[in-house]
Amino acid sequence: QQPVQSPQAVILREGEDAVINCSSSKALYSVHWYRQKHGEAPVFLMILLKGGEQKGHDKISASFNEKKQQSSLYLTASQLSYSGTYFCGTEQLAGNMLTFGGGTRLMVKP
Amino acid sequence: SAVISQKPSRDICQRGTSLTIQCQVDSQVTMMFWYRQQPGQSLTLIATANQGSEATYESGFVIDKFPISRPNLTFSTLTVSNMSPEDSSIYLCSVEDPRSPVPRNYGYTFGSGTRLTVV
């Protein structure tokens, strides 16, 4: 079953923060986050494994609450280059297929 | 991470014909995944291709419509058969980073996609 992402779209000014949420109705082994720019392939951002953890690099970080089967992606001090569609992908078992959420369109304006 | 060469990048095809999409990976990978992405939509898994065995198809996708070959650990093809306008979409192949699963810090790499238009 497809994970649910929210919001569906968000518009930011440069320097503002955003949070994108991903929720699943099933127990998860991992949550992936990808960013896709228009006309390009999705690009891997980070993976979070069960056990509940938080990861981050630069100004993009994410958390995974295993008990709630939820993950959040945090974008701080957004830059124009952050624009694109963000997808979470969930994995129920290690090495199993990824099921992607509906995506969140993020637009950062000057 | 793995580098995937996907061909063709786009094509316009007549209904009733077939198109074969190729993906070449620069390293050996166990599984290759084929996705379909309608414009502005999410990615839907079509099938998983393992070398030496038949592909595993997801609900709503059948082998007669989307035959897949996986002759070795670096190459796979997806054919879209007897096309109709409803098959117009972007098709992407994907592999798990060969550095995974230990430690599992790497995600999946995608080919650049094939934009298919059926007229």
Side-chain angles (χ1 to χ4, degrees):
Chain A
Q1 192 170 359
Q2 185 180 48
V4 177
Q5 279 185 241
S6 63
Q8 289 185 319
V10 59
I11 300 175
L12 301 173
R13 292 287 180 188
E14 262 188 303
E16 292 182 338
D17 301 341
V19 180
I20 300 171
N21 299 302
C22 176
S23 178
S24 173
S25 60
K26 301 194 174 186
L28 301 174
Y29 171 76
S30 73
V31 178
H32 298 220
W33 286 96
Y34 294 80
R35 177 171 60 211
Q36 184 178 32
K37 293 186 179 287
H38 183 70
E40 298 179 9
V43 174
F44 173 70
L45 295 176
M46 62 186 76
I47 181 174
L48 300 106
L49 303 177
K50 74 172 184 178
E53 60 172 343
Q54 188 152 357
K55 276 190 177 179
H57 54 79
D58 199 10
K59 297 186 176 69
I60 300 176
S61 61
S63 64
F64 177 28
N65 186 321
E66 179 187 354
K67 289 183 179 179
K68 293 185 177 180
Q69 292 135 215
Q70 293 175 347
S71 179
S72 295
L73 185 71
Y74 307 95
L75 302 147
T76 58
S78 59
Q79 307 167 14
L80 295 176
S81 61
Y82 286 4
S83 293
T85 301
Y86 289 78
F87 292 99
C88 68
T90 57
E91 198 175 22
Q92 289 183 257
L93 295 170
N96 208 351
M97 66 177 203
L98 275 183
T99 303
F100 286 92
T104 297
R105 289 192 174 188
L106 180 78
M107 180 182 296
V108 181
K109 293 187 173 181
Chain B
S1 60
V3 176
I4 302 176
S5 173
Q6 184 172 344
K7 298 177 181 179
S9 59
R10 61 177 64 231
D11 207 340
I12 301 174
C13 300
Q14 297 290 323
R15 68 177 65 202
T17 63
S18 298
L19 176 71
T20 296
I21 303 167
Q22 299 179 4
C23 273
Q24 178 74 52
V25 189
D26 68 345
S27 53
Q28 294 185 338
V29 293
T30 305
M31 291 189 289
M32 294 182 72
F33 305 91
W34 287 97
Y35 287 88
R36 184 172 71 183
Q37 186 176 31
Q38 308 278 11
Q41 302 296 316
S42 183
L43 297 97
T44 301
L45 183 65
I46 297 171
T48 302
N50 286 324
Q51 193 264 337
S53 62
E54 277 200 12
T56 303
Y57 289 83
E58 298 303 307
S59 176
F61 299 96
V62 295
I63 187 171
D64 290 345
K65 176 69 175 176
F66 298 100
I68 288 172
S69 77
R70 183 80 199 277
N72 56 54
L73 292 174
T74 63
F75 186 79
S76 179
T77 67
L78 170 77
T79 299
V80 185
S81 304
N82 189 25
M83 289 184 285
S84 66
E86 291 71 36
D87 295 319
S88 297
S89 190
I90 299 170
Y91 293 85
L92 302 110
C93 61
S94 177
V95 300
E96 185 177 9
D97 192 296
R99 291 171 291 179
S100 289
V102 181
R104 195 169 178 79
N105 289 321
Y106 307 105
Y108 290 74
T109 300
F110 288 83
S112 54
T114 297
R115 183 179 293 270
L116 171 63
T117 303
V118 184
V119 297

